[in-house]
Amino acid sequence: MWRWAGCAALALGLALEALARAWRRRRRRAPRREVLFFPSPVTCTAALLGEPGLAPCRCPLPHGDSPLGRLLRRLLSARRSLELCLFAFSSQQLGRAVLLLHRRGVRVRLLTDSDYMGLAGSQVGRLRQAGIQVRHDQESGYMHHKFAIVDKKMLITGSLNWTTQAIQNNRENVMIVEDVEYVAPFLAEFERMWEEYNPANYTFFPQERGTKMTPAFGAKKGTNLMT
Amino acid sequence: MWRWAGCAALALGLALEALARAWRRRRRRAPRREVLFFPSPVTCTAALLGEPGLAPCRCPLPHGDSPLGRLLRRLLSARRSLELCLFAFSSQQLGRAVLLLHRRGVRVRLLTDSDYMGLAGSQVGRLRQAGIQVRHDQESGYMHHKFAIVDKKMLITGSLNWTTQAIQNNRENVMIVEDVEYVAPFLAEFERMWEEYNPANYTFFPQERGTKMTPAFGAKKGTNLMT
């Protein structure tokens, strides 16, 4: 009798142990899910963007947390790769973060919109000069995405264009996402567009272009047209 | 001996049954996670937007699936409430879908940008005339969100402005999200802005407005300024 009881208790114990292990694994794997809302109060980001070992910044700006600070921290967590797919990119702080990652050896690739990449204030030229690979569309429509993928695992996406105007003045959202059901399609779309926008496919006088009206970064509300 | 063995087998059976039930519950509760990419091919949406019982549409457009078709289906699944928080809203098809929901008794509320809501082609006046509640910002920055919440459970968000230009010509993304960690903050932000944009708080000559330059929906690429 005791032998049977022992076997049954052992089986029960093993089943419970397996259950506990599955639960622990599930807890460990819980993906990060975070939402940031803008406008962001202006805070000092020198500690995030400075080289380690520098003295603490003594500027008069507040040194606390902010949506921009959180966005920078997520971005700066990249160790291997950073895919950027950005309609407009003129924020100096986000530009510095991307350059910092590039200097640390992170493989950065940037897809962007051909009309916006050349505007005064754009960070795209600066990144290109530093050796970062950039490709752009050649279409009549906009390349209007605003997402980044960190280490092929974390998606940063939303309504926010990477401009100081949007960060400091607009109502915007940014989602930080690690669920593979979202990250995988965005990554696949990035790779598809990366191949499609291969410079070997560029033509230099596309027919569908409209006439430019000297667009400018950070133009005041009420002076902007439609996207 | 047989009594002990029976008890142990019963305990094991109960533990496995509980495990199976938890697994089934988890499968049933799995939230919807979907990503749509644009531009969307132009397809016929009459079957989605028509009243039930009408004859099948015989127009020459393709009648298959498309990102716009899927977006419309998610939107039209609303049974009780629809919160809309949209920078630009000029798509006639999406406008018809919202009117259809309003006629079915769904409680629709729309937050929008004060500069864009009055443009030629905007759906906002049409929705307002039909009795839908609309509130708008009065700020110098843009109300640049582009999200919808269906029945307080499903978030539809991304880079896509609800314009035909964006749907048919731009590279855009839309996420369909049911994870409460994303839906709850968006819903809370909507309610916060809904109160903040209460018409009782409107001033009719805000000081920070820029000078308008007759913005227009669907302007060609290269003729648009910065958001």
Side-chain angles (χ1 to χ4, degrees), chain B residues 62-156:
Chain B
H63 286 70
D65 198 18
S66 70
L68 175 61
R70 285 194 207 181
L71 173 57
L72 283 168
R73 263 199 298 276
R74 299 293 170 242
L75 206 60
L76 289 166
S77 71
R79 292 292 170 267
R80 287 174 299 281
S81 62
L82 179 66
E83 280 80 37
L84 298 170
C85 193
L86 298 170
F87 171 52
F89 189 176
S90 63
S91 158
Q92 289 200 12
Q93 285 160 305
L94 288 164
R96 280 177 64 190
V98 172
L99 281 175
L100 200 57
L101 290 171
H102 175 64
R103 282 201 295 271
R104 286 179 190 164
V106 172
R107 185 195 180 202
V108 181
R109 291 182 292 167
L110 170 59
L111 282 174
T112 192
D113 182 83
S114 55
D115 281 6
Y116 277 81
M117 70 179 187
L119 298 189
S122 168
Q123 296 293 303
V124 177
R126 201 177 151 203
L127 302 184
R128 229 173 195 164
Q129 279 187 321
I132 290 174
Q133 298 176 77
V134 178
R135 295 185 178 182
H136 60 78
D137 71 324
Q138 271 217 324
E139 298 153 343
S140 61
Y142 282 109
M143 204 311 292
H144 198 242
H145 290 294
K146 317 107 176 24
F147 70 84
I149 303 171
V150 171
D151 290 340
K152 320 251 187 231
K153 282 184 186 162
M154 185 197 291
L155 170 67
I156 299 172

Side-chain angles (χ1 to χ4, degrees), chain A residues 29 37 59 70 79 99 141:
Chain A
R29 277 189 197 162
F37 290 106
C59 78
R70 285 195 207 181
R79 293 292 171 266
L99 281 174

Side-chain angles (χ1 to χ4, degrees), chain A residues 1 8 19 33 113 116 137 139-142 144-145 170-173 196 211-212 221-222 224-226, chain B residues 4 8 19 113 116 137 139-142 144-145 170-173 196 211-212 221-222 224-226:
Chain A
M1 183 187 84
L19 193 64
R33 292 180 186 141
D113 182 83
Y116 277 81
D137 72 322
E139 296 152 344
S140 59
Y142 282 109
H144 198 241
H145 290 295
N170 289 0
R171 304 286 176 135
E172 307 272 6
N173 63 79
E196 192 181 340
T211 312
K212 288 178 199 292
K221 179 169 184 174
N224 294 283
L225 300 183
M226 185 59 209
Chain B
W4 277 101
L19 192 64
D113 182 83
Y116 277 81
D137 71 324
E139 298 153 343
S140 61
Y142 282 109
H144 198 242
H145 290 294
N170 289 0
R171 304 285 176 134
E172 306 274 6
N173 63 77
E196 191 181 341
T211 312
K212 289 178 199 290
K221 179 167 184 175
N224 294 284
L225 300 182
M226 184 60 209

